[in-house]
């Protein structure tokens, strides 16, 4: 985990590949300053599903991107495959205003709407032909994005007109284009007539918010993380069941590997996998395919 405060960036947790950026590979139980004294405007953290490796990237006010941690697939974007336990400058001289990290790839969004990605490309998650890239490569298609999201091995973005495109892994329907199959490096349009203004990705699922319609999700659903009341993978967007909460009353939402949470005007709700208590709804429930309200204790207790 990483966080920003007035003093800079701090990280804590696993550090086997240097993903905490403190110059060591020692796990940390408390927030530890990231080396270099950089004043980041944004942080994003990626990590492999098996828990090995992990990398973190930060965006400076200048638009320069710095990354640290595992670089086995080039996900640091430094032009080589060498891990770094301290922040290292992403190659290419690009200026970004958004960074997103997948399991072993990273993408940045430039001011002109061009998306650039680097790292693992075995299933096309960089949006370009060829193998893994240790430095940024342009996402194909001449598309101008306003938002990006990165899952374990897929990437999605929203255009100015609200259409969503995805590329990379598709075995569970991660691309949302109505197909399931091997990865593709070519961005494909998410099916349906909805227009979106916010998009987030989990391990193998994606959710996006459509004004006046609510949240739609697609991809893997084996733990109910799509919130449509089923456990069937979906290759096209399905609307999250409001469970009596009011489907359009969404403010913010976020995705974990196999669960989803949303801040709604009616309360805070989570759905999907709960084997480790990640839904925050107490014990006795391994999963939920529908939104469950999180009950918070009174402040100060």
């Amino acid at each position: 985990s990483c966080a920003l405060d007035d003093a800079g960036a701090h990280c804590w947790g696993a550090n086997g590949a240097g993903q905490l950026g403190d110059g060591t590979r020692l796990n940390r139980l408390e927030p530890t300053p990231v080396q270099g004294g950089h004043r980041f405007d944004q942080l994003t953290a990626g990590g492999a599903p098996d828990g090995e490796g992990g990398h973190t990237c930060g965006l400076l006010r200048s638009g320069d991107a710095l990354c640290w941690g595992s670089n086995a697939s080039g996900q640091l974007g430094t032009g080589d495959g060498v891990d770094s336990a301290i922040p290292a400058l992403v190659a290419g001289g690009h200026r970004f205003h958004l960074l997103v990290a997948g399991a072993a790839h990273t993408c940045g969004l430039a001011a002109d709407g061009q998306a650039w990605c680097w790292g693992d490309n075995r299933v096309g998650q960089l949006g370009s032909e060829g193998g893994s890239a240790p430095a940024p490569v342009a996402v194909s298609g001449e598309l101008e994005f306003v938002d990006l999201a990165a899952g374990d091995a897929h990437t999605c973005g929203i255009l100015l007109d609200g259409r969503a495109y995805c590329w990379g892994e598709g075995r569970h329907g991660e691309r949302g284009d109505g197909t399931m199959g091997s990865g593709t490096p070519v961005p494909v349009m998410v099916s349906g007539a909805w227009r979106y203004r916010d998009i987030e990705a989990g391990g193998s699922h994606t959710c996006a918010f459509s004004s006046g319609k609510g949240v739609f999700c697609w991809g893997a659903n084996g733990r109910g993380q799509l919130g449509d009341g089923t456990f069937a993978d979906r290759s096209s967007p399905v609307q999250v069941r409001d469970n009596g909460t009011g489907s359009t009353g969404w403010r913010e939402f976020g995705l974990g590997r196999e669960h989803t949470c949303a801040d709604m005007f009616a309360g805070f709700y989570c759905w999907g996998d709960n084997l480790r208590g990640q839904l925050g709804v107490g014990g006795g429930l391994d999963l939920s395919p529908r939104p469950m309200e999180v009950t918070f204790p009174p402040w100060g207790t």
Side-chain angles (χ1 to χ4, degrees), residues 99-171:
L99 294 175
V100 294
H105 77 290
T106 312
C107 295
L109 182 60
D112 63 0
Q114 175 67 61
W116 299 79
C117 297
W118 55 94
D120 187 16
N121 197 36
R122 285 175 290 181
V123 291
Q125 58 265 55
L126 302 189
S128 61
E129 300 284 353
S132 298
V137 293
V139 172
S140 62
E142 298 183 353
L143 300 169
E144 294 185 11
F145 295 98
V146 296
D147 197 11
L148 294 176
D152 279 351
H154 74 286
T155 313
C156 295
I158 297 177
L159 305 186
L160 185 61
D161 65 5
R163 289 178 296 163
Y165 280 76
C166 296
W167 54 96
E169 184 62 87
R171 290 180 300 164

Side-chain angles (χ1 to χ4, degrees), residues 22-104:
D22 67 346
T24 77
R25 285 173 171 76
L26 301 174
N27 296 342
R28 301 292 188 178
L29 301 181
E30 297 179 349
T32 304
V34 174
Q35 277 200 14
H38 303 289
R39 302 303 295 269
F40 295 106
D41 279 353
Q42 180 199 337
L43 297 174
T44 184
D50 59 9
E52 297 297 326
H55 73 291
T56 311
C57 294
L59 188 64
L60 300 178
R61 187 160 299 172
S62 64
D64 288 318
L66 303 175
C67 295
W68 55 96
S70 175
N71 200 25
S73 299
Q75 59 263 51
L76 301 190
T78 54
D80 56 38
V82 180
D83 294 354
S84 179
I86 60 174
L89 183 66
V90 173
H94 304 289
R95 298 291 186 269
F96 303 110
H97 67 86
L98 174 67
L99 294 175
V100 294

Side-chain angles (χ1 to χ4, degrees), residues 195-216:
R195 295 294 183 261
Y196 304 104
R197 64 173 178 82
D198 187 18
I199 193 164
E200 302 288 343
S204 297
H205 74 296
T206 308
C207 296
F209 176 77
S210 179
S211 297
K213 299 294 184 181
V215 172
F216 292 80

Side-chain angles (χ1 to χ4, degrees), residues 242 244-246 249-251 263-269 293:
D242 66 14
T245 60
W250 306 82
R251 293 190 289 193
D263 183 13
M264 303 174 64
F265 292 111
F268 195 87
Y269 290 79
E293 186 171 10

Side-chain angles (χ1 to χ4, degrees), residues 210-230:
S210 179
S211 297
K213 299 294 184 181
V215 172
F216 292 80
C217 299
W218 59 91
N221 197 29
R223 303 296 294 174
Q225 59 263 48
L226 301 188
D228 69 338
T230 78

